[in-house]
Amino acid sequence: MKYRALFALPVIVSALGFFVDVYDLLIFSIVRVPSLQSMGYSEAEVSKIGTFIFNSQQAGLLVGGILWGVLGDKRGRLSVLFGSIVTYSLANIACGFVEEPNTYALLRFVAGVGLSGEIGAAMTLVTEIIPKEIRSLGPTLVAGVGYLGAGAAYLTQEWFEWRTAYMVGGGMGLLLLLLRISVFESGLFLEMKESKVRRGNFFYFFSSWPRFVKYVRCVMVGIPTWFVVGILGTFGNEFGKALGIAETISPGKCVMFIYFGLTAGDFFSGPLSQWLHSRRKAIGYLMFCGSICVGIYLYGGVSSPTVLYSVCFLAGICTGYIGLYLMMVAELYGTNLRATATTSVPSVVRGMAIPMTLAFQAFKPSFGALGGAALLGLLCYGIALFSLTRTEETYGKELDFVE
């Protein structure tokens, strides 16, 4: 009987919502090169302008993560889902009409603000309505289905012109609003709403040194995910050249294979956590294997596109702990701050892509693309694994508490 909760309407709609969220989040990484080339920019200009626009989107994710997270605890999980979908859907449709980089960057910023609300609110809602005995399976199911959106984004770009790909993403988001109407609010939130406890106080995370350290650790555990996607995937064409691969490597295809791997990894990480009776061990094992995949990607003698895309897929599998990771964040915080934490943490992680891309660009002149990525990867995985070892184990934790 308890497994029926996995097929409840909020879980199904959250999975579909995450699918659209991933599509719209990654569509720029996938169409970055063709969209800017169609505006008349050279290969060197595409790299520079593309980094600027990508970072604008990530900045929007950071701002939106705080905004929607606070609203999620003050107004409810569903209010965030509705507001965020409208914002990113309209912004993505508008991206289909851009003619110059500054407007492009502004619209990706707005889209980023909207996109930051979906994943945190969905994971918070699903975590709160699934029985604790099988809680590991809910968010990982949502993430596993959601990451298929990357494949849909790549295929849409392959079949249609890049402007149409943006239209499709925005249209799917607006259609999703019709399904959201039937979704019910979390019971834990409704109970907490009747109390006088303070909700959605983002500054609580910084009100003392232990709270600040706890929040930073949550962020640091997630940074390898955006190293793999934002560096290895997004700049796959540059790594292909550095590896001496004769054929042109498609960044969009790298991202697609990484996300196919993420789908498989997320379906695997939930049952693994159930079997180990631990969030930390499951995430730690996958993270360690992911670091090995990064080493193979950069220094494993990859000599063909097929092998490179295969390594991207394997790296994605080993990074497929995101649903489990976000559930752990939700379990770490009380109901009055759960949405604020679960929405803002992944958005800050996504925002970390800004210093990561800047660091990568700064490392390249001295160490080359491969050496720069290796140094950055060593920092990301080292900090993440250290932070994980200092994070509380949350397996089987009761969630009916407040901060």
Side-chain angles (χ1 to χ4, degrees), residues 320-385:
Y321 57 81
I322 300 175
L324 188 66
Y325 157 63
L326 293 179
M327 178 176 57
M328 182 178 72
V329 174
E331 292 170 334
L332 283 168
Y333 288 95
T335 309
N336 58 322
L337 286 172
R338 189 165 294 134
T340 305
T342 313
T343 304
S344 64
V345 164
S347 296
V348 174
V349 171
R350 289 165 167 176
M352 290 295 292
I354 298 174
M356 279 195 282
T357 53
L358 294 176
F360 175 59
Q361 299 295 348
F363 290 160
K364 278 197 298 184
S366 299
F367 302 99
L370 299 180
L375 179 57
L376 183 60
L378 184 64
L379 291 171
C380 289
Y381 277 93
I383 293 172
L385 284 166

Side-chain angles (χ1 to χ4, degrees), residues 32 40 49 81 83 90 94 103 122 157 163-164 177 181 183 186 237 274 280 296 303 308 364 391 400:
R32 173 178 61 98
I49 295 171
L81 293 176
L90 295 179
T103 303
Q157 179 265 157
R163 296 182 187 275
T164 304
L177 284 175
I181 295 173
V183 176
S186 160
N237 55 330
Q274 289 287 112
R280 294 196 310 172
I296 294 173
S303 58
L308 186 67
K364 278 197 298 184
T391 301
D400 191 8

Side-chain angles (χ1 to χ4, degrees), residues 33-57:
V33 174
S35 65
L36 291 174
Q37 285 180 340
S38 73
M39 297 178 194
Y41 294 101
S42 66
E43 184 176 347
E45 290 172 323
V46 165
S47 179
K48 183 177 180 180
I49 295 171
T51 299
F52 166 65
I53 297 174
F54 176 78
N55 285 343
S56 297
Q57 174 181 285

Side-chain angles (χ1 to χ4, degrees), residues 180-194:
R180 291 289 189 201
I181 295 173
S182 302
V183 176
F184 55 83
E185 183 61 89
S186 160
L188 287 176
F189 172 79
L190 294 176
E191 291 177 10
M192 183 267 299
K193 189 177 180 181
E194 299 301 319

Side-chain angles (χ1 to χ4, degrees), residues 54-346:
F54 176 78
N55 285 343
S56 297
Q57 174 181 285
Q58 302 309 104
L61 289 165
L62 180 59
V63 172
I66 299 171
L67 170 67
W68 296 118
V70 170
L71 287 175
D73 280 324
K74 288 185 177 293
R75 302 293 300 273
R77 309 346 182 185
L78 294 184
S79 63
V80 171
L81 293 176
F82 282 107
S84 64
I85 290 170
V86 171
T87 302
Y88 73 67
S89 296
L90 295 179
N92 274 290
I93 290 173
C95 282
F97 298 96
V98 296
E99 297 292 346
E100 53 87 27
N102 290 326
T103 303
Y104 205 171
L106 175 62
L107 289 173
R108 292 320 298 166
F109 174 84
V110 175
V113 171
L115 288 164
S116 60
E118 174 77 31
I119 183 173
M123 289 301 183
T124 302
L125 179 63
V126 171
T127 297
E128 290 182 335
I129 66 174
I130 299 288
K132 67 177 183 179
E133 296 82 5
I134 59 168
R135 192 185 298 147
S136 304
L137 305 180
T140 55
L141 176 64
V142 170
V145 173
Y147 286 132
L148 293 174
Y154 177 78
L155 293 175
T156 302
Q157 179 265 157
E158 284 285 291
W159 295 335
F160 305 104
E161 200 239 355
W162 65 270
R163 296 182 187 275
T164 304
Y166 276 120
M167 302 287 188
V168 170
M172 286 195 299
L174 294 177
L175 288 175
L176 186 64
L177 284 175
L178 300 177
L179 289 175
R180 291 289 189 201
I181 295 173
S182 302
V183 176
F184 55 83
E185 183 61 89
S186 160
L188 287 176
F189 172 79
L190 294 176
E191 291 177 10
M192 183 267 299
K193 189 177 180 181
E194 299 301 319
S195 68
K196 295 182 179 180
V197 66
R198 191 175 182 183
R199 309 191 304 271
N201 179 15
F202 179 73
F203 297 104
Y204 170 88
F205 303 129
F206 312 100
S207 60
S208 70
W209 180 250
R211 291 169 184 165
F212 172 73
V213 171
K214 176 182 177 180
Y215 187 81
V216 170
R217 285 173 180 164
C218 288
V219 172
M220 292 298 104
V221 171
I223 58 174
T225 62
W226 269 97
F227 170 77
V228 172
V229 176
I231 302 298
L232 299 188
T234 302
F235 298 98
N237 55 330
E238 296 185 28
F239 292 117
K241 287 185 177 181
L243 290 166
I245 299 175
E247 299 90 335
T248 300
I249 297 297
S250 165
K253 193 172 287 188
C254 288
V255 170
M256 180 187 71
F257 278 105
I258 288 171
Y259 271 80
F260 280 159
L262 287 173
T263 297
D266 265 293
F267 279 128
F268 171 72
S269 63
L272 178 63
S273 176
Q274 289 287 112
W275 180 59
L276 294 172
H277 286 202
S278 172
R279 311 288 189 234
R280 294 196 310 172
K281 288 181 180 179
I283 293 172
Y285 292 154
L286 287 170
M287 196 183 294
F288 177 74
C289 293
S291 65
I292 294 175
C293 288
V294 172
I296 294 173
Y297 182 103
L298 298 174
Y299 295 109
V302 176
S303 58
S304 72
T306 301
V307 176
L308 186 67
Y309 296 141
S310 298
V311 176
C312 284
F313 177 72
L314 291 175
I317 291 176
C318 297
T319 313
Y321 57 81
I322 300 175
L324 188 66
Y325 157 63
L326 293 179
M327 178 176 57
M328 182 178 72
V329 174
E331 292 170 334
L332 283 168
Y333 288 95
T335 309
N336 58 322
L337 286 172
R338 189 165 294 134
T340 305
T342 313
T343 304
S344 64
V345 164

